[in-house]
Amino acid sequence: MTSIARDELRTLFLFEKLTDEQLDWVTEHGEIEKYAEGTPILQEGDPATCFYVLLSGTLRMTRLVHGDELEMTRTDQRGAYCGATQFLMGQRGDQRYSASVHAVTDTEFLSLPAAELGEEFTSWFPMAAHLLEGMFLGRRNTDAVVGQRERLLALGALSAGLTHELNNPAAAAVRATSSLRERVAGMRQKLAMLARNDIDPNLLEQLVDVQEVLVKAVAGAPKLSAIQTSDLEDELSDWMEDHGVADGWDLAALFVPAGITTARLDEVNEAVGEAFLNPALRWLGYAVETESLMGEIEDATTRISTLLSAAKQYSQMGRAPYQWIDVHDGLDSTLIMLSGKLSHIAVIKEYDRSLPSIPAYAGELNQVWTNLVDNAVSAMKGTGTLTIRTSRENDRLMVEICDDGPGVPADLGQRIFEPFFTTKAVGEGTGLGLDISWRIVVNKHRGDLRLRSEPGDTRFQVLLPVTEEEEDQD
Ligand SMILES: Nc1ncnc2c1ncn2[C@@H]1O[C@H](COP(=O)(O)OP(=O)(O)OP(=O)(O)O)[C@@H](O)[C@H]1O
Ligand SMILES: [Mg+2]
């Protein structure tokens, strides 16, 4: 074990103003370590036990990012330090090396035991130790708060969008089911009534046949204008009046949307005869109604399951975070999730479906789309045209989220991408939407986030590499 001389320590900037006793402590606890060219000195992730100061040679500091070794620094500066640099944090710090260090040339280091150095430093400079510790903890807390807010924003958008969107079809299905119960009960009674009147079994059979035909017609009935509807209703109620069916008006209102014409009514009349016409038409009325109620229930429940699968796609539940994706899937599911906010907005999709799949963090990109669409909607104050366009720019795929709102004033420029920058009222915006999007697009995907804005035409352009090599970063 070689120790270092007091005078030599004084030449290192870290130790220049220490007292003799303090320098003696360093001499006593420090050790000179030699490493041959190319050897590892410390390994990222290992318990951080030593603080190293470079005495001679060149070191290289690297970090593993998605399996790739990324060089952070390379230096031959005497006095450069590395290793357990957070020794002041004692047991509270993340006591792991945050990077690996290699000797590029033959090197010499002074190594100090981190735990003891931490204690000693605190007793030498108590105030500095408190301040530094406050800085470490403060930064960690800010990061935690920002990260939490980030997750909450995504979760908030998802659950607010979802509950709003699920509510309508669910309520519609409940309403339709209870009407259906009433109509089915009505049908049973009409059937009993027909039976009491000794209806000829053959007639009943014919009636059932007519019912089948009508019910099938319901689904394919043409969509009518208000005027057409009221004309046809008049025609049907006149017909019923002529045939002695009292209160034919409400039946007409049921039959017209189902595509039933006077010609059909003639067929029914012929099949059952005037005596049974009234209960027969009522019974058919119920059949038409139950059919359309079942159609409503089917639409509502289909909508619910479409929403749930969009939510699943949006949140990327149960899927690998990093995968090859078609960006249009995420854009579509985001638009469905946000459809509650888009009800007064014209959404134009200009998708280039020939674009290739790209390697990406799908769930995080959905957060980007959410933030950008959310901003566009609030810039347009709820009404306007939102255009989502996809295209290719050289070896990058471009997604543009465009709105026709007032635009971003030129003097704000890049500031809008800063964390906590917002022009919204207190409580309305946190100013994190674009900061989060920037980090996801630029840092995580090695892409680019650009703004082109003039009044009435604002475009946020997200560029994403289509190949993996450029993508695979922090
Ligand atoms: N499409 C847009 N048109 C006009 N201004 C915009 C648009 N998008 C963003 N901005 C401006 O950029 C600012 C920052 O946006 P950012 O999304 O980061 O935060 P925010 O929307 O204010 O709050 P939140 O954290 O809720 O998203 C906005 O306050 C707004 O002034
Ligand atoms: Mg925003």
Side-chain angles (χ1 to χ4, degrees):
M1 163 168 159
T2 329
S3 56
I4 187 164
R6 206 197 262 175
D7 287 344
E8 197 185 348
L9 275 180
R10 281 225 168 79
T11 64
L12 298 166
F13 68 87
L14 274 180
F15 306 112
E16 61 186 346
K17 290 277 163 58
L18 296 190
T19 62
D20 288 350
E21 294 86 79
Q22 289 166 340
L23 288 175
D24 287 344
W25 186 93
V26 176
T27 306
E28 221 170 276
H29 292 81
E31 240 178 81
I32 294 181
E33 293 179 12
K34 292 179 199 292
Y35 294 89
E37 174 185 338
T39 47
I41 295 153
L42 55 91
Q43 189 69 41
E44 174 179 357
D46 282 355
T49 52
C50 278
F51 179 73
Y52 293 91
V53 182
L54 184 65
L55 299 175
S56 68
T58 303
L59 67 80
R60 189 168 83 94
M61 201 183 277
T62 58
R63 281 177 75 174
L64 269 187
V65 181
H66 294 303
D68 279 345
E69 195 173 75
L70 204 66
E71 183 169 309
M72 320 285 295
T73 6
R74 182 181 280 254
T75 182
D76 59 1
Q77 193 195 356
R78 209 174 115 79
Y81 53 90
C82 59
T85 48
Q86 300 200 359
F87 57 79
L88 272 179
M89 296 294 293
Q91 293 309 309
R92 276 156 303 171
D94 186 6
Q95 300 296 306
R96 308 248 151 209
Y97 292 126
S98 61
S100 298
V101 178
H102 282 78
V104 177
T105 60
D106 288 347
T107 54
E108 249 185 348
F109 282 94
L110 169 68
S111 97
L112 285 158
E116 278 112 309
L117 178 61
E119 267 174 44
E120 202 61 21
F121 183 95
T122 310
S123 75
W124 293 345
F125 312 109
M127 184 168 170
H130 290 312
L131 291 174
L132 281 171
E133 196 180 320
M135 257 167 58
F136 279 140
L137 290 176
R139 220 193 64 200
R140 186 161 307 170
N141 282 346
T142 311
D143 285 354
V145 170
V146 170
Q148 201 176 23
R149 171 74 190 153
E150 199 170 310
R151 283 188 293 278
L152 277 179
L153 277 179
L155 194 68
L158 183 65
S159 58
L162 244 195
T163 40
H164 183 274
E165 287 310 296
L166 284 174
N167 209 27
N168 292 338
V174 170
R175 259 197 323 273
T177 308
S178 88
S179 307
L180 185 63
R181 173 169 288 128
E182 270 171 38
R183 303 303 184 276
V184 170
M187 270 182 103
R188 285 195 298 263
Q189 282 160 14
K190 284 286 167 293
L191 190 61
M193 196 198 267
L194 286 169
R196 271 201 302 280
N197 289 341
D198 281 337
I199 190 173
D200 178 340
N202 289 330
L203 276 188
L204 193 56
E205 210 178 318
Q206 268 174 307
L207 197 55
V208 171
D209 288 346
V210 175
Q211 175 190 256
E212 287 308 317
V213 174
L214 292 191
V215 158
K216 286 213 181 75
V218 171
K223 294 265 174 284
L224 302 170
S225 70
I227 296 177
Q228 287 171 316
T229 305
S230 92
D231 285 353
L232 286 172
E233 283 179 5
D234 285 345
E235 231 176 83
L236 288 194
S237 19
D238 288 350
W239 185 98
M240 286 190 259
E241 216 179 298
D242 292 348
H243 291 78
V245 179
D247 295 330
W249 187 252
D250 54 334
L251 277 179
L254 281 179
F255 288 160
V256 169
I260 295 170
T261 57
T262 50
R264 271 268 188 266
L265 296 184
D266 284 335
E267 284 169 29
V268 178
N269 192 25
E270 228 164 86
V272 301
E274 294 254 339
F276 291 112
L277 187 61
N278 198 338
L281 286 184
R282 296 272 159 207
W283 192 54
L284 291 175
Y286 281 129
V288 167
E289 260 190 301
T290 52
E291 187 60 21
S292 69
L293 285 169
M294 285 189 287
E296 271 175 43
I297 294 172
E298 191 173 25
D299 288 350
T301 47
T302 306
R303 170 101 187 115
I304 290 172
S305 68
T306 309
L307 274 169
L308 289 178
S309 67
K312 196 171 167 206
Q313 144 75 31
Y314 179 89
S315 67
Q316 293 288 304
M317 261 187 303
R319 299 184 65 182
Y322 183 74
Q323 61 196 299
W324 287 83
I325 57 153
D326 179 344
V327 285
H328 303 108
D329 294 341
L331 289 168
D332 282 340
S333 69
T334 303
L335 290 172
I336 293 175
M337 297 313 303
L338 294 177
S339 51
K341 290 190 170 194
L342 300 171
S343 46
H344 300 294
I345 287 189
V347 179
I348 298 177
K349 296 182 190 176
E350 291 177 12
Y351 289 173
D352 177 353
R353 292 281 184 185
S354 70
L355 291 170
S357 287
I358 58 161
Y361 295 88
E364 292 178 51
L365 283 186
N366 289 341
Q367 253 192 70
V368 174
W369 315 140
T370 304
N371 292 340
L372 297 181
V373 170
D374 187 62
N375 283 350
V377 171
S378 51
M380 295 187 287
K381 303 227 168 359
T383 52
T385 303
L386 175 75
T387 308
I388 317 279
R389 190 178 300 120
T390 59
S391 57
R392 192 165 179 155
E393 200 188 84
N394 303 321
D395 54 354
R396 298 197 289 186
L397 184 150
M398 177 154 80
V399 176
E400 285 178 287
I401 313 276
C402 320
D403 68 74
D404 58 1
V408 180
D411 57 333
L412 292 187
Q414 289 293 106
R415 287 190 61 204
I416 59 167
F417 294 104
E418 289 171 11
F420 303 108
F421 179 85
T422 179
T423 56
K424 294 174 186 167
V426 176
E428 269 173 41
T430 60
L432 284 177
L434 288 176
D435 169 53
I436 291 167
S437 305
W438 179 277
R439 280 188 279 136
I440 294 173
V441 173
V442 179
N443 300 353
K444 197 135 190 190
H445 289 87
R446 296 286 132 175
D448 205 357
L449 180 53
R450 297 192 302 220
L451 166 66
R452 302 268 180 277
S453 179
E454 51 187 78
D457 182 14
T458 298
R459 304 158 184 220
F460 279 88
Q461 303 178 325
V462 174
L463 290 121
L464 297 164
V466 295
T467 51
E468 202 159 13
E469 298 89 280
E470 289 158 289
E471 201 287 326
D472 228 347
Q473 300 294 344
D474 187 17

